[in-house]
């Protein structure tokens, strides 16, 4: 649902906004990235996700730096990348759970075949 918000200010109202460029922008961005990654990792119980979370942050950072406003764009991109990482992890866990019985059966059958092949007596060639 999109709603238009009209804001009215007195003619005397002024705004000041510091525009970051160069080294200050890079430092602010690095701080933002580190904060968001650390908060995410603190909330993440699955150690297997730590690497993918950091990778998602780096991907989002790379894309954000191609925009005019990387500090504004990065948090949303990072969240989108995190959603994809979490979906992939959930899918991997479901597949692992669904196939674990198959792997157990396959290893049991392989062991059974190996045990039987040990008992085969080969007739001498002649």
């Amino acid at each position: 649902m999109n709603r238009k918000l009209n804001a009215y200010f007195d003619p005397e109202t002024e705004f000041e906004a510091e525009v970051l460029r160069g080294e200050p922008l890079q430092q602010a961005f690095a701080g933002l990235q580190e904060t968001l990654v650390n908060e995410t990792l603190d909330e993440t119980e699955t150690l297997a996700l730590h690497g993918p979370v950091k990778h998602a942050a780096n991907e989002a950072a790379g894309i954000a730096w191609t925009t005019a406003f990387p500090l504004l764009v990065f948090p949303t991109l990072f969240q989108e990348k995190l959603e994809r990482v979490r979906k992939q992890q959930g899918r991997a866990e479901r597949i692992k759970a669904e196939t674990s019985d198959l792997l157990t059966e396959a290893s049991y059958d392989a062991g059974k075949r190996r045990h039987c092949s040990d008992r085969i007596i080969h007739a001498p060639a002649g």
Side-chain angles (χ1 to χ4, degrees), residues 78-109:
F78 182 49
Q79 286 302 315
E80 289 175 4
K81 296 283 185 182
L82 281 177
E83 286 177 29
R84 185 176 303 147
V85 164
R86 289 180 176 132
K87 283 181 184 177
Q88 288 173 338
Q89 179 67 22
R91 183 173 183 266
E93 288 175 2
R94 281 191 307 279
I95 291 170
K96 186 177 179 181
E98 291 170 3
T99 59
S100 66
D101 290 342
L102 296 174
L103 292 173
T104 302
E105 288 176 26
S107 64
Y108 174 75
D109 289 345

Side-chain angles (χ1 to χ4, degrees), residues 13 42 48 58 125:
T13 303
D42 288 345
N58 288 335

